[in-house]
Amino acid sequence: MVAKKYYAYYINETCSGVVDTWPMCQEICKGQNAKYKGFPSRVEAENWLSAGAEYEEKTGKFYAVYLEASNLSKIVNTWSECQKLTKDKKARYKSFKSKKEAEAWLKAGANYENKAEIKKNLPEGIYFDAGTGRGIGVEVRVTNKSGTSILNKFLDADKINEHGNYLCPKGSTNNFGELLGIYIAINIALKENINNIYGDSKLVLEYWSKGFVKKENVSDETFSLIEQVKKLRNEYEKTGGNITHVSGDYNPADLGFHR
């Protein structure tokens, strides 16, 4: 049996708490300047918040650093060391779980992934996302692999704003927007016989769209939509449909900053 964990998060003085799943912690902190940490008990998580939500310096991680001006490569074990090395310098750096991976990256030229090239070679399918980057509320975006909105395949034109997105009702959460995104994506996929759907919300992909949620933890409207999505997902997967996670860095439907 896997031991249960609790995740404490701190965004500001009025927004902090403890949740019992990592995907929920990720969704709450997504796009925020947040601190978060896992604990084996709720008491320990709450104590960490009460003590000021301060981190201990992490170890066991490797930071590969390449300084362009001096052509110097170095591997350090802490983020603070990496920051000191790269401050006010033209540098490339990346974290790794092992020293071997860090060395391999430096040896290969210390190059970052080419996001444009990755996006260019994404598989065909429907992509969805939700975000609040424009500051007008939660928007939902559903696109093809090229990033072109396809909301008109499900919504009337008057429901789609000038950016090709759907603006959720005032007060909607970003998680609700992600849930609505997958609901729309599945409906379009069933109608158009499209076999692949992609999104970057692990909470929605791995939990809510499968019906894994406690009713008392969400609003009645959200729970009702979860039930509808669960039914649709079962229908879609029975026809051979696939729903897969894609990194937000490469999601063509990505709406940017999530507040």
Side-chain angles (χ1 to χ4, degrees):
M1 182 177 178
V2 178
K4 188 173 181 64
K5 287 194 74 172
Y6 295 85
Y7 298 88
Y9 63 89
Y10 177 89
I11 297 172
N12 54 48
E13 290 182 0
T14 61
C15 187
S16 64
V18 178
V19 293
D20 57 9
T21 70
W22 172 235
M24 180 67 79
C25 181
Q26 284 181 303
E27 286 301 317
I28 292 171
C29 297
K30 189 176 182 181
Q32 305 282 2
N33 184 16
K35 296 179 180 180
Y36 45 86
K37 191 175 180 181
F39 296 90
S41 72
R42 182 176 288 274
V43 171
E44 289 174 276
E46 290 171 346
N47 286 342
W48 181 71
L49 289 174
S50 299
E54 293 297 329
Y55 288 128
E56 296 175 357
E57 186 68 77
K58 285 187 175 181
T59 58
K61 206 168 187 180
F62 298 86
Y63 296 86
V65 177
Y66 174 72
L67 302 177
E68 296 183 20
S70 60
N71 198 29
L72 173 70
S73 295
K74 192 169 183 179
I75 296 173
V76 295
N77 294 101
T78 65
W79 172 234
S80 58
E81 288 177 283
C82 180
Q83 285 180 305
K84 287 177 184 177
L85 275 174
T86 58
K87 187 177 181 181
D88 300 324
K89 295 182 178 70
K90 194 170 183 181
R92 300 197 292 272
Y93 50 89
K94 191 174 180 181
S95 66
F96 297 90
K97 292 181 180 179
S98 72
K99 188 175 182 180
K100 187 176 180 180
E101 290 176 303
E103 290 172 341
W105 183 71
L106 290 172
K107 188 176 180 179
N111 294 312
Y112 292 128
E113 293 174 322
N114 187 326
K115 293 182 181 180
E117 192 64 25
I118 291 173
K119 282 187 175 182
K120 182 180 176 181
N121 294 305
L122 285 170
E124 295 290 344
I126 297 175
Y127 294 79
F128 71 92
D129 190 36
T132 58
R134 245 181 290 277
I136 59 175
V138 177
E139 290 181 272
V140 176
R141 186 164 182 80
V142 182
T143 75
N144 57 24
K145 65 169 286 187
S146 300
T148 303
S149 174
I150 57 171
L151 278 176
N152 61 344
K153 294 179 179 291
F154 182 76
L155 296 176
D156 293 334
D158 62 346
K159 300 288 185 182
I160 304 171
N161 65 20
E162 66 271 29
H163 307 291
N165 307 326
Y166 171 74
L167 181 62
C168 293
K170 188 176 180 180
S172 296
T173 66
N174 195 76
N175 291 335
F176 179 83
E178 295 277 7
L179 185 65
L180 186 57
I182 196 172
Y183 173 78
I184 294 171
I186 295 174
N187 273 286
I188 295 174
L190 286 168
K191 180 182 176 183
E192 302 280 328
N193 294 316
I194 297 171
N195 290 329
N196 294 294
I197 293 173
Y198 302 90
D200 57 39
S201 170
K202 289 190 175 181
L203 176 70
V204 167
L205 293 174
E206 297 177 10
Y207 293 87
W208 283 11
S209 65
K210 297 179 181 180
F212 298 143
V213 67
K214 291 181 180 179
K215 187 175 181 180
E216 61 269 24
N217 289 343
V218 296
S219 68
D220 290 342
E221 183 181 18
T222 299
F223 187 77
S224 175
L225 184 56
I226 286 171
E227 292 288 282
Q228 294 177 62
V229 170
K230 176 185 175 182
K231 183 178 179 181
L232 272 175
R233 178 169 184 162
N234 287 337
E235 180 184 347
Y236 179 60
E237 290 180 333
K238 283 179 181 177
T239 66
N242 300 293
I243 298 176
T244 309
H245 178 265
V246 64
S247 169
D249 291 336
Y250 315 130
N251 186 354
D254 184 61
L255 279 162
F257 180 59
H258 301 72
R259 298 196 285 195

